[in-house]
Amino acid sequence: MPDFVDVPLPAGGAQASPEGNVRGRRATLFAIGTGLALPMLARAASGPRLAEDPFTLGVASGYPHPGGMVLWTRLAPRPVEPGGGMPAQGVPVEYTVAEDDAMRRVVARGTVTARPENAHAVHAEPDGLAAGRWYWYRFTAGGWASPIGRTRTAPPAEAAAAGLSLDLAIASCQQYEAGYYAAYRRIAADAPDLVVHLGDYIYEGGAGPSAVRRIPEPVPMTLDEYRVRHARYRLDPDLQRAHAACPWLLTWDDHEVENDYAASRSQNDDPPGWFMERRAAAYRAYYEHMPMPRRMLPMGPYMRLHTEVWHGRLARFFMLDGRQYRTPQACTPPGRGGGVPTDPGRCAELHDTARTFLGQQQRDWLFARLPVRPEAQWNVLCQQTLMQPAGLTWQGLPWVHTDGWDGYPVERARLLAALADARVANPVVLGGDVHAFYACALKQDNADPNSPVVASEFVCGAVTSPLPSARYVQRVAEVHPAVRYTHTDKRGYLRMRISATRLNAEVMGVTDVRRADSPVEVLARLEVATGRPGPVVV
Ligand code: FE
Ligand code: CA
């Protein structure tokens, strides 16, 4: 039985009338053509009344396409209790999409059943909306109405780049205990078209002595525990504001499950069967809390989140997953997993051509999609971490960090070669993970000063997570001229505007991460002109 009934009304600005809504419902009943929808709609009208407000976690949207997007909420009156304070039964949730923020000009409506096995999460996917415009949406359930969220559709697929622009916020690494979400408060105020999140959305571990706020629960292992962890994060009002402000695209990194995990190998080298059960719990809780399409629903410990998202002919986003399918980190001492500082000259395994970062299937998919024509003006690879080589001599020893791309040099070379071979227009790599801002000119051969620049790389700093060693990052920039900008003093995010001729990035720094109302300032401005890869400080 489908757990979802979509009721698109004709888009185009007509004032919705009660009669119009009834017509929409009848149309859906005919479209489904089974008796199953009827009792469901009857329940929608007479679902259980809830004693407490179930919309404590806010609303979100994501993955815009020309006809619609994903609308998300989760019913959880008491979100940090197992079960979320909900009855162990399905509850009908109605969503409404309107052309105005007062929700008067309704253009779509539908009912989804929020089920206990999905933590009463809702992933609604209205379609048939008008391309390239803003919409507002709201959910109702059990006698309660959610906050109103703002979202938008992508422009028509064939819309020329020259007539389009796109404002982005790019964020990662938001250890809850390490600070307040002043960055998200500012993102919500910026009201971009899209937020791109590059991983470490939750942290499974604590922040240690530097914590400025607390999560009382221990490290999550089970599905209920990961759900509570996500709920702790999502109770933050500034994070809710940013989710309600515009659609998001997301990929994850390690901390959504466990620090430095790689495929089925945990950092403690736990039995893979046990760890895959933990991974399944973490993936499921992640899906349940994100505005992701229902096609991404995990199957046990597997969740396909790599996908591509177009913004007319202006930009194409590849959402990539560097965790789920990767070969475990090289030259890890016996009895443990995860990354280690490694001398690349003494680790033959690093250069093994069978090792992969993306996994063969995802890599084949990406390499097959790169040459697709007509292409977008900008082709943006959204992934977890720094791609620029960053190896150096540190405290007298040659050193690479094996958890990042430096631990997968063969795959990195393949990817850069694929971008060059496919003559992909204006490739841009976005990354997070390293808790510092970087802008780099990625070269086919980083060691050769005459090697051509293949792509422009931007790494956003952390929203809150602890800062790295400034000396180390400074040293990386000294050793590698392709690193054109770094910043290590502040948390924050990247603000980006993409137009047909230029990409402009602003490094947004949070003055005091211990305050939710901290000022956020522009620390630097960078630019890439079309046809000239490599960010330039302006
Ligand atoms: Fe992180
Ligand atoms: Ca990470």
Side-chain angles (χ1 to χ4, degrees):
M1 166 167 160
D3 69 343
F4 178 84
V5 181
D6 229 347
V7 189
L9 299 179
Q15 187 87 24
S17 65
E19 193 192 311
N21 297 342
V22 168
R23 257 207 314 273
R25 291 198 165 186
R26 283 200 191 121
T28 300
L29 291 180
F30 290 133
I32 290 173
T34 74
L36 293 174
L38 225 148
M40 188 158 33
L41 288 176
R43 274 210 316 277
S46 61
R49 292 196 73 76
L50 299 169
E52 298 166 85
D53 179 5
F55 295 109
T56 58
L57 300 175
V59 299
S61 70
Y63 297 83
H65 58 89
M69 71 297 288
V70 180
L71 304 179
W72 175 94
T73 193
R74 185 188 153 206
L75 307 183
R78 275 168 271 135
V80 298
E81 291 178 14
M86 286 293 289
Q89 68 183 90
V91 175
V93 181
E94 189 172 58
Y95 69 85
T96 311
V97 181
E99 289 181 337
D100 62 313
D101 59 356
M103 303 296 298
R104 289 205 184 92
R105 299 194 304 276
V106 172
V107 292
R109 209 184 271 281
T111 302
V112 183
T113 303
R115 298 182 184 282
E117 58 269 31
N118 298 329
H120 293 95
V122 172
H123 298 80
E125 296 181 49
D127 206 342
L129 302 175
R133 63 156 295 160
W134 288 101
Y135 287 101
W136 285 261
Y137 62 98
R138 175 166 63 189
F139 299 91
T140 53
W144 299 85
S146 77
I148 294 170
R150 193 180 79 130
T151 189
R152 62 174 304 148
T153 48
E158 67 285 359
L164 300 174
S165 76
L166 181 65
D167 286 328
L168 299 171
I170 300 151
S172 76
C173 294
Q174 54 193 51
Q175 215 318 336
Y176 179 92
E177 292 144 293
Y180 285 88
Y181 292 152
Y184 281 126
R185 186 174 292 198
R186 180 59 179 267
I187 287 172
D190 289 345
D193 297 311
L194 193 64
V195 171
V196 177
H197 197 284
L198 300 173
D200 289 358
Y201 187 101
I202 61 161
Y203 280 69
E204 85 289 10
S210 66
V212 301
R213 51 180 174 169
R214 285 274 164 220
I215 287 179
E217 292 86 15
V219 174
M221 297 283 170
T222 66
L223 178 55
D224 273 341
E225 290 167 352
Y226 277 107
R227 284 169 171 164
V228 168
R229 181 58 52 113
H230 276 278
R232 287 274 174 209
Y233 277 67
R234 278 300 252 288
L235 283 168
D236 183 280
D238 291 314
L239 183 55
Q240 287 194 14
R241 276 186 195 111
H243 273 294
C246 69
W248 287 40
L249 304 176
L250 300 114
T251 185
W252 51 29
D253 194 27
D254 50 344
H255 289 288
E256 283 83 353
V257 182
E258 187 207 43
N259 182 53
D260 271 12
Y261 87 92
S264 64
R265 190 179 199 183
S266 76
Q267 190 179 23
N268 298 320
D269 204 15
D270 299 299
W274 177 88
F275 180 69
M276 287 296 260
E277 277 184 41
R278 184 180 179 194
R279 192 177 101 169
Y283 282 13
R284 187 165 186 97
Y286 179 81
Y287 169 80
E288 287 169 353
H289 288 84
M290 298 304 157
M292 299 181 117
R294 280 169 290 144
R295 67 169 195 272
M296 292 184 183
L297 175 74
M299 308 256 287
Y302 305 100
M303 178 170 163
R304 181 182 163 156
L305 54 67
H306 62 273
T307 190
E308 73 189 289
V309 176
W310 290 71
H311 188 83
R313 294 264 192 270
L314 178 66
R316 175 164 62 150
F317 296 88
F318 290 98
M319 304 307 299
L320 302 176
D321 178 353
R323 278 289 159 196
Q324 187 172 185
Y325 312 109
R326 65 157 80 183
T327 311
Q329 295 87 346
C331 297
T332 304
R336 55 159 294 186
V340 279
T342 295
D343 176 348
R346 288 162 178 255
C347 176
E349 193 188 339
L350 265 186
H351 310 283
D352 180 348
T353 57
R355 300 186 73 248
T356 176
F357 191 77
L358 298 171
Q360 192 186 325
Q361 268 194 329
Q362 181 179 202
R363 190 177 69 215
D364 289 350
W365 163 81
L366 176 64
F367 289 7
R369 295 300 303 166
L370 287 176
V372 164
R373 300 292 183 271
E375 65 186 334
Q377 176 74 320
W378 298 91
N379 290 275
V380 188
L381 274 57
C382 306
Q383 50 86 50
Q384 288 71 35
T385 189
L386 179 70
M387 193 173 288
Q388 164 64 35
L392 44 69
T393 300
W394 184 246
Q395 295 168 344
L397 291 169
W399 189 90
V400 294
H401 174 50
T402 57
D403 186 60
W405 277 102
D406 274 346
Y408 300 82
V410 178
E411 184 99 323
R412 175 170 57 197
R414 273 190 204 122
L415 175 52
L416 292 170
L419 288 172
D421 293 350
R423 300 182 186 283
V424 172
N426 301 301
V428 177
V429 174
L430 302 181
D433 177 50
V434 293
H435 303 184
F437 294 92
Y438 281 82
C440 312
L442 293 174
K443 293 181 165 197
Q444 188 100 62
D445 179 0
N446 183 63
D448 175 4
N450 297 317
S451 178
V453 177
V454 174
S456 310
E457 175 171 34
F458 292 90
V459 174
C460 61
V463 168
T464 53
S465 304
L467 297 169
S469 155
R471 261 192 64 219
Y472 165 71
V473 175
Q474 201 181 348
R475 189 83 191 106
V476 170
E478 283 164 14
V479 174
H480 299 283
V483 177
R484 293 185 173 174
Y485 172 84
T486 61
H487 182 90
T488 53
D489 286 350
K490 288 195 170 69
R491 275 71 152 214
Y493 67 100
L494 280 172
R495 193 157 74 175
M496 197 172 271
R497 170 166 288 180
I498 298 177
S499 73
T501 55
R502 274 189 165 37
L503 180 156
N504 290 93
E506 290 174 309
V507 177
M508 304 297 289
V510 171
T511 307
D512 183 357
V513 79
R514 293 167 303 178
R515 286 172 45 197
D517 64 350
S518 167
V520 180
E521 57 181 320
V522 179
L523 300 174
R525 293 188 167 86
L526 297 121
E527 185 177 285
V528 181
T530 47
R532 272 189 282 152
V536 179
V537 178
V538 289

